[in-house]
Amino acid sequence: MSTTILGHEPEAPERRMYWALADGWTVAGRTLTHLIRQPANIAWQLGFPIVSVLLFGYVFGSAMSVPGGGDYREYLMPGMFGMTMAMGFMNTAYAVVLDTTKGVTDRFRSMPMAPSAPVTGRGLADIVSAMLDLLVLAATALVIGWRSDGGFWATLAAFGLLLWLRFALIWIGIWIGLVTPNEEAAGNLFAVAFPFAMISSVFVAPSQMPDWLGAVAAWNPVSSTVTAARELFGNPVALGDSWIEQHAMLGAIVWPLVITLVFVPMAVRRFQRLSR
Amino acid sequence: MSTSSHAIHAVGLQKRYGEKRALDGFDLAVPQGTVYGLLGPNGAGKTTAVRILATLVRLDGGRAEVAGFDVVRDARRVRRRIGFTGQFTAVDEILTGRQNLRMFGRLFHLGPARAAARADELLEQFDLTEAADKGTKEYSGGMRRRLDLAASMILVPKVLFLDEPTTGLDPRGRNEVWTAVRSLVSGGTTVLLTTQYLDEADQLAGRVAVIDHGKVIADDTPAALKRRVGGDQLEVVLEESVDLPVALQAVARVAAGEPEIDEEHRRVTAAVEQRVAALTEVARRLQDEGIGVEDIGLRRPTLDEVFLRLTGHKPEETTDTTERTEVPA
Ligand SMILES: Nc1ncnc2c1ncn2[C@@H]1O[C@H](COP(=O)(O)OP(=O)(O)OP(=O)(O)O)[C@@H](O)[C@H]1O
Ligand SMILES: [Mg+2]
């Protein structure tokens, strides 16, 4: 053997912090390299919201009305942003399933890297690719005439809230990925993701739905985020009378926090169960 | 650090999955610098044993040291000193071979330059330089397995665990992997490999532990194990069954044990020790007597035969009463 590289012993706490970040970044770099090597995947992933934008905006758009007035396409765009964030947990879950079933997770666990790195790396990569999603969507939206009238900081805050939702959903995604037995089962996640994203204020105002469905839609975390984003963008909002709709900004901040607090321990516990 | 000169030392390992005892008093002592085979049928507990030793699974009882460190208390130190290649190839399928090795190098905490240099070295060593910049999806099974091996060799581990490294490969892929494993061993690495093929253990391992129902039931060199079964088998198939008595005589002269006759298939079988000498001797004798031979040859004892002899029962398919809830390992 030409080189002998037997490394250092377990590091002091401050070195550990450093490696936790460095290893997380390396793992994230892997996923980002996937994006570069498979640009077609991004196209598929973004194809759905872009097609939805065109479909709902132009095909149904003229028949749809926004309660309280306003242009439907202006109303729709923040919804599309929110929907893309909401469906994103599927990507997380799918990647986690692939890694555990193909043994990559085991390989990581048998290595002296920071034990948190597979998870932080996953999260980091997902946030970066969510930013990319938003960039492409916003560009599409601008092309078809959507504008944010909220000013620079409000616009930034709106995108921040959208990413905050995506961040929370990473933990659901990891948890689902760890409880999903195989790749085929992961394909069925669409059946969960679709209603989760659609039964919300993404396409139509909850007040236009049957009462019970409207209540479900209003309390959907996706609705709070989308409504808050509409307010910040200065787009048509179509507020209902329910408490949650009146407090969309609060919901957009608290919902993801609650999701994170619930699902981080669940995901961690599941991860530890791998060594059972 | 223990004073043990064993690279792997396991005593009384226990592992239960529900009612199922995957390991039930598993003992193993592997001297440094050797290749040790763990041989057993499906469900015997091979994967469970290797995963415990590689710190991936917690044990329920017993204790184990790898490279001088306790696998439970000192897991991180153990991880610095081992390589692990699981039953299924675990490389990233979208990245190229080179990107894979660089990433794993970084995760072993080599700097970017060293990780890159080490990746090049390993690609060379495992004969993957030409395919280095192709996505591993395009690799053959043997190539992917070699990349997998290379990834577990980044830090030049003291102990390497290989779980069924050639299962599912064609003969060519199998040979490629065997060659790669041999080159590792010449670098001083201790290897514990599991296999379902006696043949593979024979090719690679200096010593073999046969495992059944979570216990080691025999622990010996491949040659000695085969001797216990009666060594290689000489098999003669005749054209006419009237010649059977003459053939039996010829075979008996070279046989290590009592030859067996299968009248229906006009076949005489016997264990032999000097395989080639026995074969030529019997062939010559039959020719001299002018006896028509349909087929004559040497055959290794199969794992089934080893099992039958060691346990008195055929290796049964494990009756999985407990559903597997975790990922396939
Ligand atoms: N995660 C698990 N959950 C439940 N049972 C398990 C689990 N892992 C292994 N087992 C059971 O433990 C026993 C030993 O399994 P193990 O995978 O160690 O066998 P093996 O010798 O590697 O078999 P194979 O040749 O099929 O790989 C089997 O009966 C198996 O069903
Ligand atoms: Mg196995």
Side-chain angles (χ1 to χ4, degrees), chain B residues 17 20 22 42-48 87 164 196 320 324:
Chain B
Y17 288 109
K20 172 92 204 169
N42 285 127
K46 304 181 296 291
T47 297
T48 307
Q87 189 161 347
E164 301 199 18
Q196 300 198 30
D320 262 33
R324 280 202 185 203

Side-chain angles (χ1 to χ4, degrees), chain A residues 3 8 30 37 106-107, chain B residues 51 80 92 94 121 148:
Chain A
T3 29
H8 4 276
R30 163 187 173 228
R37 284 185 59 79
D106 276 348
R107 160 144 271 150
Chain B
R51 285 170 65 80
R80 283 213 166 274
D92 188 301
I94 298 161
E121 255 170 51
D148 204 25

Side-chain angles (χ1 to χ4, degrees), chain B residues 7-11 13 23 26 28 30 38 46-57 59 63-67 69-72 75 78-79 82 84 159 161 192:
Chain B
I8 301 170
H9 198 177
V11 183
L13 294 188
L23 289 186
F26 176 91
L28 189 70
V30 179
L38 208 52
K46 304 181 296 291
T47 297
T48 307
V50 166
R51 285 170 65 80
I52 285 178
L53 294 171
T55 77
L56 289 175
V57 174
L59 41 76
R63 61 186 179 79
E65 272 179 13
V66 169
F69 292 100
D70 190 285
V71 295
V72 179
V78 170
R79 285 181 201 141
I82 62 167
F84 167 76
V159 181
F161 297 101
L192 180 65

Side-chain angles (χ1 to χ4, degrees), chain A residues 2-3 5 8-9 11 19 23 30 34 37-38 102-103 106-109 111-112 115 275-276, chain B residues 15 51 56 58 77 79-81 84 89-90 92 94 96 99 103 108-110 114 121 148 152:
Chain A
S2 48
T3 29
I5 316 171
H8 4 276
E9 288 306 318
E11 296 87 6
W19 283 120
D23 291 349
R30 163 187 173 228
H34 287 181
R37 284 185 59 79
Q38 299 189 305
K102 300 241 156 154
D106 276 348
R107 160 144 271 150
F108 284 155
R109 294 199 308 127
M111 290 169 56
S275 61
R276 276 254 197 100
Chain B
K15 181 74 193 176
R51 285 170 65 80
L56 289 175
R58 234 171 294 140
R77 287 200 169 85
R79 285 181 201 141
R80 283 213 166 274
R81 291 164 174 82
F84 167 76
T89 313
D92 188 301
I94 298 161
T96 67
Q99 285 171 332
M103 171 187 68
F108 275 115
H109 298 175
L110 303 183
R114 271 167 104 198
E121 255 170 51
D148 204 25
S152 46

